[in-house]
Amino acid sequence: MSILTRRRLLRRAALSATATAAATGAGLAGTAAASAALAGCDESRDDRPRDPRSQPAPGGALRFPPGFGWGAATSAYQIEGAAKEDGRGESVWDTFSRTPGRVRNGDTGDVAADHYHRYVEDLDLMRELGLGSYRFSISWPRVQADGTGAPNQRGLDFYRRLIDGLHERGIAPMATLFHWDLPQALQDRGGWESRDVAQRFADYADHVFRALGDRVPVWLTINEPKTVVQNGYLHGHHAPGHRDPQAAYLVAHHLQLAHGLAVRALRAAGGDGRIGPAFNLHPCYPADSSPGAAEATRLYDGYENRLYLDSALTGRYPEDVLADLGPDSRMVRGIRDGDLAVISTPVDLVAVQYYTPIYVTAEGGTVRRWPTSEAEWQQIHPDGMYDILTRVTRDYGPIPLTVTENGLPTPDTLADDGTVDDAGRIRFLHDHLAAAHRAMADGVPLESFHVWSLLDNFEWAEGYDQRWGLVYVDYPTQRRIPKRSAHWYRDVIAAGGL
Ligand code: GCO
């Protein structure tokens, strides 16, 4: 399967198959392929969220170990707003979201959940939930408006206040250095296609470590490099909106390189902070029992998972993926001596983000096996959480793991009595936490779990249409209303289990 064929086989495949085929005309079946994939859905195996009255009660059988990190996650561009304040520069997402037709309803992150101004209220919400860990991201263009040079003190001060507020409330900060908001000035210089941007990232990371390194126990380098590769450079429905497979995999290499350089920067800066990558991993299963499906699934898994895991944890890119890309691909030509040693600089933990499995046909297409959430790329399959966690431990050894994202969008509405009943989220989280617990019982060193997301927020190309939060945000007033799932999660945390 060549790289061009691969273009339809990627994350959020059903969503993007039509766009990709339209963009390339590369012999893809396009809409027909997407419909055929959807037709493969086995509706008889329905684990759709069930009757809210049968929700499992907290305090039951599944205990998590003392000290387990009960958390929630967000990212800067999705919640902060304050797009032009305190010296913040433009990011690729400012550019992308302001480009007509790129984001649903023309939504942007200009205001988002206004967290930049309401962070104290949000910290108090976290305390009320009983969170032990909060994963957020630092906005590169707040720290360096154009991605280079001296850091912007006002930008760093915001994160210092946030981090101090977490400590005051007994919540451990977990900071992601890059959650997709590349300074636009760096994009103008080639973005992640430019090897130099990896070095710029290391310099930015160094500034952040020196300013905040004494107060952040866990750092994550790059959030979901795969999504930048696939959504940003293959399908074009995320910033910077390119559709260029050759560029995409060169970008993958540079993102991995940037990760390794940032790990080295933390070590050089000293201190006790731990660091690791944040990968969205997808368990890949053959859609049927044919040998062809097994073979196609293996390569698919290479692109989805091993490309990132192997390079960071074993210092090798998977041979099958390199062979598929070909020796003349921009990525393979872009790998220099010593790069893999940098990329595989030892890390302290690996962050796993799990949302959906993928079922692969002998032709290299995908089929749907489980009901989806409002996000049509997301099949609800809690066992996938067990499978991906146990697989990482089996294949890469007993490195500590954290789940840094897991969640779903639900059609939440604010009722007249002021409540938001998101029963589907409770069922989903219950079942995924139970699967994580099972993985731990089978030896996975999982230390924490973060629900995506703390707050409703800007869901990238979907704008504000999808609500992923434990806490409802009434955007016109910016009022926060904890959903039923927030109350449930609070009780789970208090009970130490399900
Ligand atoms: C991602 C990101 C988050 C998303 C979440 C829901 O995985 O795409 O890390 O920013 O909002 O995953 O799609």
XYZ file of all heavy atoms in Angstrom, residues 11-12 73-75 78 135 179-180 223-224 227 231 238 278 280 353-355 375 377-378 404-409 452-453 457-460 462 466 468, ligand 1:
350
model
N -6.875 8.280 10.800
C -7.764 8.603 11.898
C -8.931 9.441 11.408
O -8.781 10.276 10.552
C -6.990 9.387 12.964
C -7.838 9.669 14.172
C -7.099 10.571 15.123
N -7.951 10.768 16.289
C -7.915 11.830 17.049
N -7.081 12.781 16.825
N -8.731 11.914 18.071
N -10.065 9.201 11.972
C -11.253 9.927 11.586
C -11.547 9.667 10.114
O -11.939 10.546 9.353
C -11.104 11.410 11.908
C -10.777 11.572 13.387
C -10.463 12.941 13.856
N -10.045 12.821 15.269
C -9.891 13.826 16.094
N -10.125 15.045 15.706
N -9.526 13.629 17.331
N -8.560 17.180 31.625
C -7.614 17.804 30.699
C -8.281 18.916 29.891
O -9.497 18.919 29.669
C -7.060 16.741 29.743
N -7.435 19.846 29.456
C -7.855 20.911 28.536
C -6.644 21.249 27.649
O -5.573 20.695 27.830
C -8.225 22.211 29.285
O -7.070 22.675 29.997
C -9.383 22.012 30.253
N -6.835 22.191 26.731
C -5.662 22.748 26.038
C -5.867 24.243 25.841
O -7.005 24.740 25.834
C -5.429 22.059 24.695
O -6.157 22.688 23.661
N -8.122 25.823 23.063
C -9.513 25.388 23.163
C -10.285 26.082 24.278
O -11.505 26.139 24.231
C -9.554 23.870 23.344
C -9.035 23.137 22.107
C -9.110 21.638 22.258
O -8.176 21.015 22.753
N -10.201 21.030 21.830
N -4.397 18.488 33.658
C -3.546 18.570 32.475
C -4.019 19.736 31.601
O -5.176 19.791 31.201
C -3.635 17.275 31.670
C -2.802 17.359 30.415
C -3.184 16.326 29.380
N -2.404 16.544 28.180
C -2.856 16.371 26.958
N -4.084 15.957 26.735
N -2.079 16.607 25.926
N 0.189 21.974 22.150
C -1.096 21.378 21.790
C -1.603 22.105 20.534
O -2.655 22.727 20.529
C -2.087 21.478 22.960
C -3.200 20.473 22.907
N -3.437 19.558 23.905
C -4.154 20.238 21.975
C -4.495 18.815 23.597
N -4.948 19.216 22.427
N -0.745 22.091 19.510
C -1.094 22.439 18.137
C -1.074 23.923 17.776
O -1.242 24.263 16.604
C -2.475 21.871 17.745
C -2.615 20.410 17.989
C -1.626 19.516 18.307
C -3.810 19.638 17.937
N -2.131 18.258 18.450
C -3.488 18.304 18.239
C -5.129 19.967 17.650
C -4.440 17.289 18.263
C -6.084 18.954 17.684
C -5.733 17.631 17.984
N 1.439 17.156 21.962
C 0.161 16.466 21.996
C -0.171 15.863 20.635
O -0.270 16.586 19.641
C -0.963 17.435 22.371
C -2.309 16.735 22.373
O -2.560 15.884 23.216
N -3.169 17.055 21.412
N -0.353 14.565 20.614
C -0.845 13.880 19.409
C -0.129 14.316 18.129
O -0.742 14.920 17.245
C -2.344 14.103 19.236
C -3.174 13.587 20.379
C -4.663 13.558 20.063
O -5.042 13.977 18.957
O -5.429 13.080 20.918
N -2.053 13.565 14.973
C -3.183 14.375 14.517
C -2.687 15.561 13.699
O -3.333 15.975 12.723
C -4.033 14.821 15.713
O -4.357 13.670 16.483
C -5.319 15.481 15.251
N -4.440 15.164 10.312
C -5.488 16.177 10.123
C -4.925 17.480 9.562
O -5.609 18.184 8.826
C -6.214 16.456 11.439
C -7.053 15.279 11.888
O -7.021 14.231 11.260
N -7.795 15.430 12.963
N -7.464 20.365 9.740
C -6.920 21.102 10.883
C -5.836 22.039 10.350
O -5.280 21.805 9.261
C -6.269 20.151 11.890
C -7.225 19.522 12.854
N -6.802 18.792 13.932
C -8.579 19.521 12.914
C -7.849 18.363 14.628
N -8.950 18.778 14.021
N 2.835 12.516 24.413
C 1.383 12.276 24.529
C 0.872 11.777 23.181
O 0.770 12.557 22.232
C 0.660 13.551 24.942
N -2.001 9.795 20.815
C -3.332 9.205 20.665
C -3.146 7.875 19.948
O -2.665 7.832 18.834
C -4.296 10.125 19.910
C -3.772 10.600 18.576
O -2.576 10.793 18.413
N -4.655 10.778 17.618
N -3.742 8.603 24.919
C -5.066 9.195 24.718
C -5.857 8.188 23.886
O -5.438 7.823 22.787
C -4.915 10.548 24.034
C -3.735 11.290 24.653
C -3.687 12.787 24.474
O -3.183 13.458 25.362
N -4.183 13.293 23.383
N -6.939 7.742 24.454
C -7.721 6.715 23.761
C -9.151 7.193 23.534
O -9.832 7.614 24.472
C -7.751 5.394 24.554
C -8.758 4.429 23.953
C -8.513 3.844 22.707
C -9.973 4.163 24.583
C -9.457 3.016 22.114
C -10.918 3.331 23.993
C -10.656 2.770 22.754
O -11.595 1.964 22.153
N -9.579 7.083 22.288
C -10.950 7.457 21.937
C -11.703 6.379 21.174
O -12.895 6.210 21.343
C -10.947 8.730 21.068
C -10.624 9.974 21.828
C -9.352 10.525 21.800
C -11.595 10.620 22.595
C -9.054 11.680 22.516
C -11.302 11.773 23.308
C -10.034 12.297 23.268
O -9.745 13.424 23.982
N -19.230 12.544 17.598
C -18.053 12.655 16.736
C -18.053 11.393 15.879
O -17.814 10.296 16.386
C -16.785 12.739 17.566
N -16.170 9.971 13.927
C -14.963 9.147 13.851
C -14.801 8.274 15.085
O -13.938 7.398 15.115
C -13.724 10.030 13.685
C -13.624 11.138 14.695
C -14.085 12.419 14.546
C -13.069 11.059 16.018
N -13.841 13.140 15.697
C -13.216 12.333 16.616
C -12.460 10.041 16.769
C -12.781 12.619 17.910
C -12.025 10.330 18.058
C -12.191 11.604 18.615
N -15.624 8.500 16.111
C -15.415 7.820 17.386
C -16.392 6.667 17.591
O -17.579 6.885 17.823
C -15.585 8.812 18.545
C -15.353 8.144 19.900
C -15.498 9.103 21.068
O -16.340 10.001 21.043
N -14.711 8.890 22.103
N -4.167 10.560 29.345
C -4.310 12.017 29.389
C -5.531 12.519 28.634
O -5.832 13.710 28.707
C -3.044 12.692 28.829
O -2.591 11.944 27.699
C -1.951 12.732 29.885
N -6.221 11.626 27.917
C -7.500 12.010 27.330
C -8.361 10.774 27.146
O -7.886 9.749 26.649
C -7.325 12.685 25.952
C -6.712 14.055 26.020
C -6.661 14.758 24.663
O -7.452 14.415 23.761
O -5.809 15.642 24.520
N -9.613 10.941 27.525
C -10.638 9.945 27.215
C -11.974 10.638 27.481
O -12.148 11.274 28.518
C -10.490 8.702 28.108
C -11.578 7.662 27.874
O -12.345 7.333 28.768
N -11.657 7.138 26.671
N -12.873 10.532 26.543
C -14.150 11.202 26.715
C -14.937 11.140 25.421
O -14.529 10.474 24.461
N -16.068 11.815 25.415
C -16.898 11.847 24.206
C -17.748 13.107 24.226
O -17.968 13.693 25.290
C -17.791 10.600 24.108
C -19.141 10.580 24.833
C -19.949 9.359 24.439
C -19.002 10.672 26.324
N -18.223 13.516 23.054
C -19.191 14.608 23.029
C -20.603 14.053 23.201
O -20.918 12.986 22.655
C -19.002 15.194 21.625
C -18.549 14.037 20.793
C -17.859 13.050 21.702
N -11.207 13.897 29.103
C -11.315 15.002 28.155
C -12.790 15.321 28.041
O -13.525 14.495 27.520
C -10.756 14.641 26.764
C -10.819 15.871 25.903
C -11.872 16.263 25.111
C -9.842 16.907 25.833
N -11.604 17.481 24.555
C -10.382 17.904 24.978
C -8.597 17.125 26.412
C -9.687 19.085 24.693
C -7.915 18.282 26.115
C -8.466 19.251 25.258
N -13.218 16.437 28.574
C -12.421 17.559 29.015
C -13.018 18.114 30.307
O -14.149 17.773 30.658
C -12.444 18.627 27.908
O -11.684 19.765 28.250
N -15.582 23.195 25.190
C -14.571 24.091 24.606
C -14.603 24.055 23.082
O -15.464 23.424 22.479
C -13.185 23.724 25.153
C -12.791 22.293 24.825
O -12.892 21.866 23.681
N -12.356 21.543 25.835
N -13.643 24.736 22.500
C -13.513 24.854 21.040
C -12.977 23.538 20.494
O -11.807 23.214 20.692
C -12.545 26.000 20.727
C -12.242 26.167 19.263
C -13.113 26.861 18.425
C -11.071 25.651 18.714
C -12.828 27.023 17.073
C -10.777 25.811 17.366
C -11.659 26.498 16.546
N -13.852 22.778 19.847
C -13.450 21.459 19.365
C -12.937 21.565 17.921
O -13.521 21.033 16.985
C -14.617 20.468 19.508
C -14.391 19.073 18.943
C -13.159 18.325 19.483
O -12.585 18.736 20.500
O -12.782 17.337 18.841
N -11.896 22.317 17.749
C -11.175 22.403 16.483
C -12.120 22.644 15.299
O -12.923 23.567 15.371
C -10.293 21.153 16.312
C -9.421 20.932 17.532
C -9.480 19.891 18.420
C -8.380 21.798 18.046
N -8.548 20.050 19.433
C -7.854 21.208 19.225
C -7.823 23.011 17.634
C -6.824 21.781 19.974
C -6.790 23.584 18.373
C -6.308 22.967 19.519
N -14.764 21.461 14.523
C -16.184 21.394 14.886
C -16.634 22.628 15.657
O -17.803 22.733 16.036
C -16.470 20.144 15.730
C -16.149 18.832 15.041
C -16.939 18.656 13.752
O -18.098 19.101 13.692
O -16.365 18.085 12.794
N -19.748 20.653 19.361
C -19.664 19.448 20.202
C -19.273 19.852 21.617
O -18.378 20.659 21.815
C -18.616 18.481 19.635
C -19.024 17.875 18.311
C -17.966 16.922 17.750
O -16.903 16.710 18.347
N -18.272 16.342 16.604
N -17.740 18.459 25.012
C -16.945 17.356 25.548
C -16.702 17.491 27.054
O -16.005 16.669 27.651
C -15.575 17.314 24.862
C -15.566 16.896 23.416
C -15.943 17.632 22.338
C -15.118 15.625 22.892
N -15.758 16.905 21.171
C -15.251 15.664 21.491
C -14.610 14.459 23.480
C -14.901 14.608 20.665
C -14.258 13.401 22.650
C -14.418 13.478 21.263
C -7.402 15.539 20.244
C -6.997 16.628 21.147
C -8.106 17.308 21.865
C -9.486 17.100 21.296
C -10.101 15.819 21.800
C -11.480 15.553 21.248
O -7.290 14.402 20.615
O -7.866 15.795 19.138
O -5.944 16.339 22.006
O -7.694 18.626 21.753
O -10.302 18.151 21.599
O -9.303 14.752 21.431
O -11.433 15.400 19.862
